[in-house]
Amino acid sequence: DIVVTQSPDSLAVSLGERATINCKTSQNVLYSSNSKNYLGWYQQKPGQPPKLLIYWASTRESGVPDRFSGSGSGTDFTLTISSLQAEDVAVYYCHDYFGTPWAFGQGTKVEIK
Amino acid sequence: EVQLLESGGGLVHPGTSLRLSCAATGFTFSNYAMTWVRQAPGKGLEWVSSITDSGSNTYYADSVKGRFTISRDNSKSSLYLQMNSLRAEDTAIYYCAKYIIAGTPPDYWGQGTLVTVSS
């Protein structure tokens, strides 16, 4: 089974500054037949369900602000918030959907410094 | 507007059963695979089970295999999770979510229903 590990567990960033979250999978999630990385990113605010931000490692979901971007391939991935806004305070999860069992990272809590 | 509304949660004793439901509106339910993901209080997300659009294939996490059963009724646009032999470690918010096909992530989640297993 794939294990997904995020770093850091939490970070505090000043408004307008960049936030970077890393995600590492224990196995390659790049599917060679279609060259897609089966890796997504979710945002979860307190008391709310997760919201899909990024899929295929770098494709932004419809309606997601362009300050959110995803990158990486294979086993190493990054979510970047280019200019942190107050409404971005949340826990962020990366998610491997390469095959069952699905796996989620442990989450990264983003706060305002 | 897409809506997923979970129900059926509550406080139950260890060893008992509970059936969760998820009512779907705003999209063609029978065209989507569905999944249950849970979140223990203050913890991260844990995948529980998934079912294909037709219901012909089901998948389970090892932690619930043999105790939980996922099912769906496309005529009622509803998803279910039958949970038997409940344990304290099953205590969590249970979310239902939809995804288009295998190999895609859930793109919309319900608000969740809380299951508490305690004596």
Side-chain angles (χ1 to χ4, degrees):
Chain A
D1 296 353
I2 295 177
V3 176
V4 180
T5 305
Q6 293 179 226
S7 62
D9 290 334
S10 65
L11 75 161
V13 176
S14 300
L15 287 172
E17 295 301 305
R18 178 185 301 261
T20 301
I21 301 169
N22 299 301
C23 175
K24 188 171 185 67
T25 58
S26 62
Q27 298 175 36
N28 188 1
V29 298
L30 173 62
Y31 194 39
S32 57
S33 68
N34 61 8
S35 299
K36 289 186 181 294
N37 288 282
Y38 287 56
L39 192 287
W41 289 95
Y42 289 90
Q43 176 193 64
Q44 187 178 32
K45 296 181 179 180
Q48 296 185 20
K51 174 188 173 184
L52 180 64
L53 297 176
I54 302 284
Y55 56 98
W56 302 134
S58 60
T59 301
R60 203 177 298 115
E61 176 75 333
S62 176
V64 173
D66 60 8
R67 64 180 179 273
F68 292 93
S69 63
S71 62
S73 184
T75 61
D76 293 279
F77 302 91
T78 300
L79 175 70
T80 301
I81 310 173
S82 61
S83 176
L84 191 74
Q85 304 300 303
E87 61 265 32
D88 300 335
V89 169
V91 178
Y92 293 83
Y93 295 93
C94 58
H95 167 44
D96 146 57
Y97 50 95
F98 190 72
T100 56
W102 284 353
F104 293 89
Q106 79 275 19
T108 296
K109 186 174 185 179
V110 174
E111 300 173 307
I112 305 295
K113 184 187 291 183
Chain B
E1 179 191 5
V2 172
Q3 286 198 332
L4 295 170
L5 184 62
E6 302 94 337
S7 61
L11 172 63
V12 296
H13 293 300
T16 61
S17 300
L18 203 60
R19 189 195 197 205
L20 304 183
S21 299
C22 172
T25 58
F27 65 101
T28 305
F29 183 72
S30 58
N31 288 350
Y32 285 80
M34 298 294 294
T35 192
W36 290 99
V37 175
R38 68 185 180 184
Q39 186 170 36
K43 302 297 184 182
L45 302 170
E46 180 189 13
W47 172 73
V48 173
S49 180
S50 296
I51 187 168
T52 53
D53 53 0
S54 65
S56 58
N57 290 295
T58 58
Y59 309 90
Y60 298 94
D62 286 345
S63 57
V64 306
K65 200 173 295 182
R67 299 188 299 123
F68 290 11
T69 302
I70 191 171
S71 63
R72 64 190 296 160
D73 185 338
N74 286 346
S75 68
K76 295 181 178 179
S77 296
S78 292
L79 175 72
Y80 306 102
L81 186 68
Q82 176 67 43
M83 305 186 294
N84 299 332
S85 303
L86 282 162
R87 307 166 178 167
E89 55 264 35
D90 296 318
T91 294
I93 296 172
Y94 285 74
Y95 296 102
C96 69
K98 70 177 186 67
Y99 61 107
I100 188 66
I101 55 170
T104 62
D107 60 1
Y108 189 85
W109 302 49
Q111 291 295 315
T113 186
L114 176 63
V115 172
T116 303
V117 184
S118 174
S119 53

